[in-house]
Amino acid sequence: DALARYRVAFTALDAAAAKAVWPRVDEGDLQRAFRQLESQELTFAECRTEMAATARQGKVTCRGSVRFVPRVGDRLERVELRRWEFVVSYFAGGWRIDAVRSPADPQPR
């Protein structure tokens, strides 16, 4: 659920929705980044989950792509392969994202 909410928030360019699932994100910085985009779509093709012994924390690694159109410049649609690394925890009845790392996917497919 947390990853689906993250994906929907980033596709909708909605910083407040992203903050709801990822409380530690700087909402202002994210809003500024989203204003640079005309559109964006995240796709998770495969995800692997590693849970801690308590089952209240874990790490989720997903491969997929981000398709986006910048608001400035040539405004051509771009697609980048990505790998997301999420640190997640169970808190107050639901899962939330504590940290995200998203380097470009080094493995061509």
Side-chain angles (χ1 to χ4, degrees):
D1 179 54
L3 298 187
R5 291 173 35 220
Y6 175 91
R7 189 185 57 74
V8 167
F10 273 68
T11 296
L13 304 175
D14 185 341
K19 179 131 180 113
V21 70
W22 182 14
R24 293 181 181 166
V25 72
D26 184 317
E27 188 176 351
D29 284 350
L30 196 54
Q31 280 180 331
R32 283 184 284 284
F34 285 166
R35 280 197 292 264
Q36 302 301 312
L37 299 173
E38 185 72 34
S39 65
Q40 175 172 253
E41 180 181 4
L42 275 62
T43 303
F44 297 153
E46 61 181 77
C47 294
R48 187 181 75 240
T49 303
E50 301 170 29
M51 297 304 294
T54 64
R56 290 191 162 280
Q57 293 181 320
K59 178 181 168 187
V60 182
T61 304
C62 296
R63 281 213 155 87
S65 63
V66 60
R67 179 182 309 267
F68 64 96
V69 176
R71 194 174 292 276
V72 178
D74 60 23
R75 300 181 67 182
L76 295 176
E77 182 178 82
R78 295 172 174 89
V79 178
E80 294 178 0
L81 297 179
R82 291 277 177 95
R83 184 183 72 241
W84 288 267
E85 298 168 358
F86 298 95
V87 175
V88 297
S89 63
Y90 191 79
F91 181 78
W95 288 94
R96 70 177 183 195
I97 296 169
D98 295 323
V100 180
R101 197 170 95 89
S102 181
D105 190 341
Q107 298 180 357
R109 290 184 268 161

PDB file of all heavy atoms in Angstrom, residues 69-100:
ATOM      1  N   VAL A  69       7.957  14.320 -18.716  1.00  0.00           N
ATOM      2  CA  VAL A  69       8.070  15.404 -19.688  1.00  0.00           C
ATOM      3  C   VAL A  69       8.443  16.652 -18.900  1.00  0.00           C
ATOM      4  O   VAL A  69       7.687  17.072 -18.013  1.00  0.00           O
ATOM      5  CB  VAL A  69       6.750  15.637 -20.451  1.00  0.00           C
ATOM      6  CG1 VAL A  69       6.880  16.831 -21.392  1.00  0.00           C
ATOM      7  CG2 VAL A  69       6.328  14.386 -21.204  1.00  0.00           C
ATOM      8  N   PRO A  70       9.621  17.240 -19.185  1.00  0.00           N
ATOM      9  CA  PRO A  70      10.000  18.468 -18.477  1.00  0.00           C
ATOM     10  C   PRO A  70       9.126  19.644 -18.928  1.00  0.00           C
ATOM     11  O   PRO A  70       8.638  19.673 -20.054  1.00  0.00           O
ATOM     12  CB  PRO A  70      11.463  18.677 -18.870  1.00  0.00           C
ATOM     13  CG  PRO A  70      11.731  17.781 -20.018  1.00  0.00           C
ATOM     14  CD  PRO A  70      10.641  16.771 -20.095  1.00  0.00           C
ATOM     15  N   ARG A  71       8.940  20.580 -18.036  1.00  0.00           N
ATOM     16  CA  ARG A  71       8.141  21.772 -18.333  1.00  0.00           C
ATOM     17  C   ARG A  71       8.959  22.796 -19.137  1.00  0.00           C
ATOM     18  O   ARG A  71       8.410  23.618 -19.844  1.00  0.00           O
ATOM     19  CB  ARG A  71       7.666  22.392 -17.023  1.00  0.00           C
ATOM     20  CG  ARG A  71       6.576  23.413 -17.175  1.00  0.00           C
ATOM     21  CD  ARG A  71       6.036  23.884 -15.838  1.00  0.00           C
ATOM     22  NE  ARG A  71       5.311  22.870 -15.121  1.00  0.00           N
ATOM     23  CZ  ARG A  71       4.021  22.566 -15.303  1.00  0.00           C
ATOM     24  NH1 ARG A  71       3.322  23.197 -16.213  1.00  0.00           N
ATOM     25  NH2 ARG A  71       3.437  21.640 -14.574  1.00  0.00           N
ATOM     26  N   VAL A  72      10.283  22.741 -19.017  1.00  0.00           N
ATOM     27  CA  VAL A  72      11.170  23.704 -19.663  1.00  0.00           C
ATOM     28  C   VAL A  72      12.078  22.957 -20.639  1.00  0.00           C
ATOM     29  O   VAL A  72      12.427  21.802 -20.416  1.00  0.00           O
ATOM     30  CB  VAL A  72      12.024  24.430 -18.590  1.00  0.00           C
ATOM     31  CG1 VAL A  72      12.988  25.412 -19.221  1.00  0.00           C
ATOM     32  CG2 VAL A  72      11.126  25.131 -17.584  1.00  0.00           C
ATOM     33  N   GLY A  73      12.486  23.623 -21.703  1.00  0.00           N
ATOM     34  CA  GLY A  73      13.412  23.007 -22.658  1.00  0.00           C
ATOM     35  C   GLY A  73      12.656  22.379 -23.812  1.00  0.00           C
ATOM     36  O   GLY A  73      11.612  22.869 -24.225  1.00  0.00           O
ATOM     37  N   ASP A  74      13.184  21.250 -24.299  1.00  0.00           N
ATOM     38  CA  ASP A  74      12.608  20.634 -25.499  1.00  0.00           C
ATOM     39  C   ASP A  74      11.270  19.938 -25.244  1.00  0.00           C
ATOM     40  O   ASP A  74      10.567  19.600 -26.168  1.00  0.00           O
ATOM     41  CB  ASP A  74      13.593  19.663 -26.142  1.00  0.00           C
ATOM     42  CG  ASP A  74      14.004  18.530 -25.225  1.00  0.00           C
ATOM     43  OD1 ASP A  74      13.264  18.203 -24.280  1.00  0.00           O
ATOM     44  OD2 ASP A  74      15.077  17.952 -25.463  1.00  0.00           O
ATOM     45  N   ARG A  75      10.931  19.702 -23.995  1.00  0.00           N
ATOM     46  CA  ARG A  75       9.648  19.128 -23.595  1.00  0.00           C
ATOM     47  C   ARG A  75       9.342  17.800 -24.269  1.00  0.00           C
ATOM     48  O   ARG A  75       8.199  17.447 -24.468  1.00  0.00           O
ATOM     49  CB  ARG A  75       8.518  20.126 -23.805  1.00  0.00           C
ATOM     50  CG  ARG A  75       8.738  21.394 -22.990  1.00  0.00           C
ATOM     51  CD  ARG A  75       7.659  22.394 -23.148  1.00  0.00           C
ATOM     52  NE  ARG A  75       6.445  21.842 -22.561  1.00  0.00           N
ATOM     53  CZ  ARG A  75       5.286  22.458 -22.575  1.00  0.00           C
ATOM     54  NH1 ARG A  75       5.172  23.620 -23.142  1.00  0.00           N
ATOM     55  NH2 ARG A  75       4.239  21.914 -22.023  1.00  0.00           N
ATOM     56  N   LEU A  76      10.387  17.063 -24.607  1.00  0.00           N
ATOM     57  CA  LEU A  76      10.203  15.722 -25.166  1.00  0.00           C
ATOM     58  C   LEU A  76      10.075  14.721 -24.020  1.00  0.00           C
ATOM     59  O   LEU A  76      10.745  14.848 -22.992  1.00  0.00           O
ATOM     60  CB  LEU A  76      11.390  15.335 -26.049  1.00  0.00           C
ATOM     61  CG  LEU A  76      11.586  16.169 -27.316  1.00  0.00           C
ATOM     62  CD1 LEU A  76      12.857  15.738 -28.035  1.00  0.00           C
ATOM     63  CD2 LEU A  76      10.378  16.037 -28.224  1.00  0.00           C
ATOM     64  N   GLU A  77       9.231  13.728 -24.202  1.00  0.00           N
ATOM     65  CA  GLU A  77       9.080  12.687 -23.190  1.00  0.00           C
ATOM     66  C   GLU A  77      10.372  11.892 -23.065  1.00  0.00           C
ATOM     67  O   GLU A  77      11.008  11.554 -24.055  1.00  0.00           O
ATOM     68  CB  GLU A  77       7.937  11.751 -23.572  1.00  0.00           C
ATOM     69  CG  GLU A  77       7.699  10.681 -22.541  1.00  0.00           C
ATOM     70  CD  GLU A  77       6.531   9.796 -22.908  1.00  0.00           C
ATOM     71  OE1 GLU A  77       6.729   8.858 -23.718  1.00  0.00           O
ATOM     72  OE2 GLU A  77       5.426  10.045 -22.395  1.00  0.00           O
ATOM     73  N   ARG A  78      10.745  11.635 -21.832  1.00  0.00           N
ATOM     74  CA  ARG A  78      11.942  10.843 -21.547  1.00  0.00           C
ATOM     75  C   ARG A  78      11.537   9.642 -20.705  1.00  0.00           C
ATOM     76  O   ARG A  78      10.616   9.733 -19.903  1.00  0.00           O
ATOM     77  CB  ARG A  78      12.963  11.679 -20.782  1.00  0.00           C
ATOM     78  CG  ARG A  78      13.510  12.840 -21.587  1.00  0.00           C
ATOM     79  CD  ARG A  78      14.371  13.738 -20.703  1.00  0.00           C
ATOM     80  NE  ARG A  78      15.021  14.773 -21.450  1.00  0.00           N
ATOM     81  CZ  ARG A  78      14.517  15.965 -21.703  1.00  0.00           C
ATOM     82  NH1 ARG A  78      13.310  16.272 -21.279  1.00  0.00           N
ATOM     83  NH2 ARG A  78      15.189  16.867 -22.382  1.00  0.00           N
ATOM     84  N   VAL A  79      12.274   8.559 -20.871  1.00  0.00           N
ATOM     85  CA  VAL A  79      12.056   7.358 -20.060  1.00  0.00           C
ATOM     86  C   VAL A  79      13.404   6.937 -19.506  1.00  0.00           C
ATOM     87  O   VAL A  79      14.373   6.815 -20.253  1.00  0.00           O
ATOM     88  CB  VAL A  79      11.451   6.209 -20.894  1.00  0.00           C
ATOM     89  CG1 VAL A  79      11.282   4.972 -20.031  1.00  0.00           C
ATOM     90  CG2 VAL A  79      10.126   6.628 -21.512  1.00  0.00           C
ATOM     91  N   GLU A  80      13.463   6.752 -18.195  1.00  0.00           N
ATOM     92  CA  GLU A  80      14.694   6.293 -17.543  1.00  0.00           C
ATOM     93  C   GLU A  80      14.402   5.030 -16.757  1.00  0.00           C
ATOM     94  O   GLU A  80      13.393   4.962 -16.043  1.00  0.00           O
ATOM     95  CB  GLU A  80      15.222   7.353 -16.577  1.00  0.00           C
ATOM     96  CG  GLU A  80      15.680   8.626 -17.228  1.00  0.00           C
ATOM     97  CD  GLU A  80      16.161   9.661 -16.220  1.00  0.00           C
ATOM     98  OE1 GLU A  80      16.131   9.385 -15.006  1.00  0.00           O
ATOM     99  OE2 GLU A  80      16.573  10.747 -16.665  1.00  0.00           O
ATOM    100  N   LEU A  81      15.273   4.051 -16.880  1.00  0.00           N
ATOM    101  CA  LEU A  81      15.181   2.876 -16.028  1.00  0.00           C
ATOM    102  C   LEU A  81      15.676   3.275 -14.652  1.00  0.00           C
ATOM    103  O   LEU A  81      16.653   4.012 -14.532  1.00  0.00           O
ATOM    104  CB  LEU A  81      16.016   1.734 -16.582  1.00  0.00           C
ATOM    105  CG  LEU A  81      15.584   1.199 -17.946  1.00  0.00           C
ATOM    106  CD1 LEU A  81      16.514   0.079 -18.385  1.00  0.00           C
ATOM    107  CD2 LEU A  81      14.146   0.728 -17.919  1.00  0.00           C
ATOM    108  N   ARG A  82      15.006   2.799 -13.627  1.00  0.00           N
ATOM    109  CA  ARG A  82      15.376   3.165 -12.269  1.00  0.00           C
ATOM    110  C   ARG A  82      15.354   1.954 -11.355  1.00  0.00           C
ATOM    111  O   ARG A  82      14.698   0.950 -11.626  1.00  0.00           O
ATOM    112  CB  ARG A  82      14.385   4.174 -11.674  1.00  0.00           C
ATOM    113  CG  ARG A  82      14.419   5.538 -12.285  1.00  0.00           C
ATOM    114  CD  ARG A  82      15.524   6.385 -11.667  1.00  0.00           C
ATOM    115  NE  ARG A  82      15.620   7.672 -12.302  1.00  0.00           N
ATOM    116  CZ  ARG A  82      15.038   8.774 -11.868  1.00  0.00           C
ATOM    117  NH1 ARG A  82      14.291   8.752 -10.793  1.00  0.00           N
ATOM    118  NH2 ARG A  82      15.181   9.901 -12.513  1.00  0.00           N
ATOM    119  N   ARG A  83      16.032   2.125 -10.254  1.00  0.00           N
ATOM    120  CA  ARG A  83      15.972   1.178  -9.145  1.00  0.00           C
ATOM    121  C   ARG A  83      15.675   2.012  -7.906  1.00  0.00           C
ATOM    122  O   ARG A  83      16.364   2.989  -7.634  1.00  0.00           O
ATOM    123  CB  ARG A  83      17.301   0.439  -8.980  1.00  0.00           C
ATOM    124  CG  ARG A  83      17.252  -0.632  -7.910  1.00  0.00           C
ATOM    125  CD  ARG A  83      18.599  -1.311  -7.706  1.00  0.00           C
ATOM    126  NE  ARG A  83      19.520  -0.408  -7.031  1.00  0.00           N
ATOM    127  CZ  ARG A  83      20.663   0.029  -7.537  1.00  0.00           C
ATOM    128  NH1 ARG A  83      21.055  -0.345  -8.740  1.00  0.00           N
ATOM    129  NH2 ARG A  83      21.432   0.851  -6.860  1.00  0.00           N
ATOM    130  N   TRP A  84      14.619   1.673  -7.204  1.00  0.00           N
ATOM    131  CA  TRP A  84      14.255   2.377  -5.980  1.00  0.00           C
ATOM    132  C   TRP A  84      14.593   1.487  -4.797  1.00  0.00           C
ATOM    133  O   TRP A  84      14.320   0.281  -4.817  1.00  0.00           O
ATOM    134  CB  TRP A  84      12.760   2.679  -5.934  1.00  0.00           C
ATOM    135  CG  TRP A  84      12.300   3.740  -6.875  1.00  0.00           C
ATOM    136  CD1 TRP A  84      12.162   5.074  -6.615  1.00  0.00           C
ATOM    137  CD2 TRP A  84      11.871   3.562  -8.226  1.00  0.00           C
ATOM    138  NE1 TRP A  84      11.676   5.726  -7.719  1.00  0.00           N
ATOM    139  CE2 TRP A  84      11.493   4.820  -8.722  1.00  0.00           C
ATOM    140  CE3 TRP A  84      11.773   2.456  -9.080  1.00  0.00           C
ATOM    141  CZ2 TRP A  84      11.018   5.010 -10.009  1.00  0.00           C
ATOM    142  CZ3 TRP A  84      11.309   2.636 -10.362  1.00  0.00           C
ATOM    143  CH2 TRP A  84      10.934   3.906 -10.822  1.00  0.00           C
ATOM    144  N   GLU A  85      15.144   2.086  -3.769  1.00  0.00           N
ATOM    145  CA  GLU A  85      15.417   1.386  -2.514  1.00  0.00           C
ATOM    146  C   GLU A  85      14.646   2.119  -1.425  1.00  0.00           C
ATOM    147  O   GLU A  85      14.951   3.265  -1.106  1.00  0.00           O
ATOM    148  CB  GLU A  85      16.915   1.380  -2.225  1.00  0.00           C
ATOM    149  CG  GLU A  85      17.705   0.642  -3.289  1.00  0.00           C
ATOM    150  CD  GLU A  85      19.203   0.868  -3.189  1.00  0.00           C
ATOM    151  OE1 GLU A  85      19.653   1.631  -2.307  1.00  0.00           O
ATOM    152  OE2 GLU A  85      19.918   0.283  -4.009  1.00  0.00           O
ATOM    153  N   PHE A  86      13.630   1.462  -0.892  1.00  0.00           N
ATOM    154  CA  PHE A  86      12.771   2.041   0.135  1.00  0.00           C
ATOM    155  C   PHE A  86      13.085   1.412   1.485  1.00  0.00           C
ATOM    156  O   PHE A  86      13.220   0.190   1.577  1.00  0.00           O
ATOM    157  CB  PHE A  86      11.294   1.754  -0.159  1.00  0.00           C
ATOM    158  CG  PHE A  86      10.788   2.337  -1.445  1.00  0.00           C
ATOM    159  CD1 PHE A  86      10.759   1.574  -2.602  1.00  0.00           C
ATOM    160  CD2 PHE A  86      10.323   3.639  -1.496  1.00  0.00           C
ATOM    161  CE1 PHE A  86      10.269   2.097  -3.782  1.00  0.00           C
ATOM    162  CE2 PHE A  86       9.828   4.176  -2.674  1.00  0.00           C
ATOM    163  CZ  PHE A  86       9.806   3.400  -3.829  1.00  0.00           C
ATOM    164  N   VAL A  87      13.162   2.224   2.516  1.00  0.00           N
ATOM    165  CA  VAL A  87      13.180   1.741   3.894  1.00  0.00           C
ATOM    166  C   VAL A  87      11.774   2.033   4.408  1.00  0.00           C
ATOM    167  O   VAL A  87      11.302   3.172   4.331  1.00  0.00           O
ATOM    168  CB  VAL A  87      14.248   2.462   4.744  1.00  0.00           C
ATOM    169  CG1 VAL A  87      14.154   2.021   6.193  1.00  0.00           C
ATOM    170  CG2 VAL A  87      15.636   2.199   4.170  1.00  0.00           C
ATOM    171  N   VAL A  88      11.095   0.994   4.889  1.00  0.00           N
ATOM    172  CA  VAL A  88       9.710   1.141   5.315  1.00  0.00           C
ATOM    173  C   VAL A  88       9.550   0.699   6.767  1.00  0.00           C
ATOM    174  O   VAL A  88      10.344  -0.087   7.279  1.00  0.00           O
ATOM    175  CB  VAL A  88       8.752   0.329   4.411  1.00  0.00           C
ATOM    176  CG1 VAL A  88       8.789   0.848   2.980  1.00  0.00           C
ATOM    177  CG2 VAL A  88       9.086  -1.152   4.443  1.00  0.00           C
ATOM    178  N   SER A  89       8.507   1.218   7.407  1.00  0.00           N
ATOM    179  CA  SER A  89       8.201   0.779   8.769  1.00  0.00           C
ATOM    180  C   SER A  89       6.693   0.815   8.975  1.00  0.00           C
ATOM    181  O   SER A  89       5.964   1.561   8.314  1.00  0.00           O
ATOM    182  CB  SER A  89       8.905   1.659   9.804  1.00  0.00           C
ATOM    183  OG  SER A  89       8.457   2.985   9.719  1.00  0.00           O
ATOM    184  N   TYR A  90       6.264  -0.021   9.915  1.00  0.00           N
ATOM    185  CA  TYR A  90       4.859  -0.090  10.280  1.00  0.00           C
ATOM    186  C   TYR A  90       4.649   0.852  11.458  1.00  0.00           C
ATOM    187  O   TYR A  90       5.327   0.748  12.470  1.00  0.00           O
ATOM    188  CB  TYR A  90       4.480  -1.519  10.666  1.00  0.00           C
ATOM    189  CG  TYR A  90       3.007  -1.733  10.792  1.00  0.00           C
ATOM    190  CD1 TYR A  90       2.221  -1.902   9.660  1.00  0.00           C
ATOM    191  CD2 TYR A  90       2.394  -1.755  12.029  1.00  0.00           C
ATOM    192  CE1 TYR A  90       0.856  -2.094   9.754  1.00  0.00           C
ATOM    193  CE2 TYR A  90       1.029  -1.949  12.147  1.00  0.00           C
ATOM    194  CZ  TYR A  90       0.261  -2.117  11.007  1.00  0.00           C
ATOM    195  OH  TYR A  90      -1.080  -2.308  11.115  1.00  0.00           O
ATOM    196  N   PHE A  91       3.710   1.784  11.307  1.00  0.00           N
ATOM    197  CA  PHE A  91       3.516   2.805  12.324  1.00  0.00           C
ATOM    198  C   PHE A  91       2.044   3.197  12.369  1.00  0.00           C
ATOM    199  O   PHE A  91       1.448   3.481  11.329  1.00  0.00           O
ATOM    200  CB  PHE A  91       4.374   4.031  11.977  1.00  0.00           C
ATOM    201  CG  PHE A  91       4.283   5.140  12.974  1.00  0.00           C
ATOM    202  CD1 PHE A  91       4.977   5.071  14.171  1.00  0.00           C
ATOM    203  CD2 PHE A  91       3.497   6.250  12.726  1.00  0.00           C
ATOM    204  CE1 PHE A  91       4.886   6.093  15.091  1.00  0.00           C
ATOM    205  CE2 PHE A  91       3.414   7.285  13.639  1.00  0.00           C
ATOM    206  CZ  PHE A  91       4.107   7.203  14.831  1.00  0.00           C
ATOM    207  N   ALA A  92       1.468   3.188  13.544  1.00  0.00           N
ATOM    208  CA  ALA A  92       0.091   3.649  13.751  1.00  0.00           C
ATOM    209  C   ALA A  92      -0.901   2.997  12.794  1.00  0.00           C
ATOM    210  O   ALA A  92      -1.739   3.664  12.199  1.00  0.00           O
ATOM    211  CB  ALA A  92       0.021   5.171  13.666  1.00  0.00           C
ATOM    212  N   GLY A  93      -0.779   1.700  12.627  1.00  0.00           N
ATOM    213  CA  GLY A  93      -1.759   0.971  11.826  1.00  0.00           C
ATOM    214  C   GLY A  93      -1.522   0.941  10.336  1.00  0.00           C
ATOM    215  O   GLY A  93      -2.384   0.480   9.582  1.00  0.00           O
ATOM    216  N   GLY A  94      -0.384   1.417   9.880  1.00  0.00           N
ATOM    217  CA  GLY A  94      -0.118   1.385   8.443  1.00  0.00           C
ATOM    218  C   GLY A  94       1.363   1.475   8.135  1.00  0.00           C
ATOM    219  O   GLY A  94       2.171   1.817   8.999  1.00  0.00           O
ATOM    220  N   TRP A  95       1.716   1.173   6.913  1.00  0.00           N
ATOM    221  CA  TRP A  95       3.100   1.243   6.467  1.00  0.00           C
ATOM    222  C   TRP A  95       3.408   2.638   5.970  1.00  0.00           C
ATOM    223  O   TRP A  95       2.575   3.288   5.351  1.00  0.00           O
ATOM    224  CB  TRP A  95       3.358   0.217   5.362  1.00  0.00           C
ATOM    225  CG  TRP A  95       3.389  -1.165   5.900  1.00  0.00           C
ATOM    226  CD1 TRP A  95       2.355  -2.044   5.964  1.00  0.00           C
ATOM    227  CD2 TRP A  95       4.510  -1.821   6.491  1.00  0.00           C
ATOM    228  NE1 TRP A  95       2.771  -3.214   6.560  1.00  0.00           N
ATOM    229  CE2 TRP A  95       4.084  -3.102   6.887  1.00  0.00           C
ATOM    230  CE3 TRP A  95       5.832  -1.448   6.736  1.00  0.00           C
ATOM    231  CZ2 TRP A  95       4.927  -4.009   7.505  1.00  0.00           C
ATOM    232  CZ3 TRP A  95       6.674  -2.349   7.343  1.00  0.00           C
ATOM    233  CH2 TRP A  95       6.226  -3.620   7.720  1.00  0.00           C
ATOM    234  N   ARG A  96       4.626   3.081   6.263  1.00  0.00           N
ATOM    235  CA  ARG A  96       5.093   4.370   5.768  1.00  0.00           C
ATOM    236  C   ARG A  96       6.512   4.187   5.241  1.00  0.00           C
ATOM    237  O   ARG A  96       7.209   3.234   5.585  1.00  0.00           O
ATOM    238  CB  ARG A  96       5.056   5.440   6.841  1.00  0.00           C
ATOM    239  CG  ARG A  96       6.088   5.235   7.916  1.00  0.00           C
ATOM    240  CD  ARG A  96       6.071   6.340   8.922  1.00  0.00           C
ATOM    241  NE  ARG A  96       7.132   6.117   9.900  1.00  0.00           N
ATOM    242  CZ  ARG A  96       7.203   6.731  11.043  1.00  0.00           C
ATOM    243  NH1 ARG A  96       6.290   7.627  11.366  1.00  0.00           N
ATOM    244  NH2 ARG A  96       8.185   6.483  11.871  1.00  0.00           N
ATOM    245  N   ILE A  97       6.931   5.138   4.449  1.00  0.00           N
ATOM    246  CA  ILE A  97       8.278   5.146   3.891  1.00  0.00           C
ATOM    247  C   ILE A  97       9.142   6.044   4.760  1.00  0.00           C
ATOM    248  O   ILE A  97       8.778   7.190   5.024  1.00  0.00           O
ATOM    249  CB  ILE A  97       8.244   5.623   2.428  1.00  0.00           C
ATOM    250  CG1 ILE A  97       7.434   4.624   1.587  1.00  0.00           C
ATOM    251  CG2 ILE A  97       9.653   5.796   1.889  1.00  0.00           C
ATOM    252  CD1 ILE A  97       7.108   5.117   0.196  1.00  0.00           C
ATOM    253  N   ASP A  98      10.267   5.506   5.213  1.00  0.00           N
ATOM    254  CA  ASP A  98      11.195   6.283   6.036  1.00  0.00           C
ATOM    255  C   ASP A  98      12.301   6.911   5.198  1.00  0.00           C
ATOM    256  O   ASP A  98      12.806   7.977   5.534  1.00  0.00           O
ATOM    257  CB  ASP A  98      11.809   5.403   7.122  1.00  0.00           C
ATOM    258  CG  ASP A  98      10.766   4.924   8.122  1.00  0.00           C
ATOM    259  OD1 ASP A  98       9.847   5.686   8.441  1.00  0.00           O
ATOM    260  OD2 ASP A  98      10.869   3.774   8.575  1.00  0.00           O
ATOM    261  N   ALA A  99      12.697   6.249   4.122  1.00  0.00           N
ATOM    262  CA  ALA A  99      13.782   6.759   3.272  1.00  0.00           C
ATOM    263  C   ALA A  99      13.637   6.161   1.878  1.00  0.00           C
ATOM    264  O   ALA A  99      13.122   5.052   1.714  1.00  0.00           O
ATOM    265  CB  ALA A  99      15.139   6.392   3.859  1.00  0.00           C
ATOM    266  N   VAL A 100      14.098   6.920   0.888  1.00  0.00           N
ATOM    267  CA  VAL A 100      14.074   6.473  -0.506  1.00  0.00           C
ATOM    268  C   VAL A 100      15.402   6.843  -1.145  1.00  0.00           C
ATOM    269  O   VAL A 100      15.917   7.944  -0.956  1.00  0.00           O
ATOM    270  CB  VAL A 100      12.944   7.153  -1.315  1.00  0.00           C
ATOM    271  CG1 VAL A 100      12.958   6.673  -2.756  1.00  0.00           C
ATOM    272  CG2 VAL A 100      11.593   6.920  -0.677  1.00  0.00           C
TER     273      VAL A 100
END
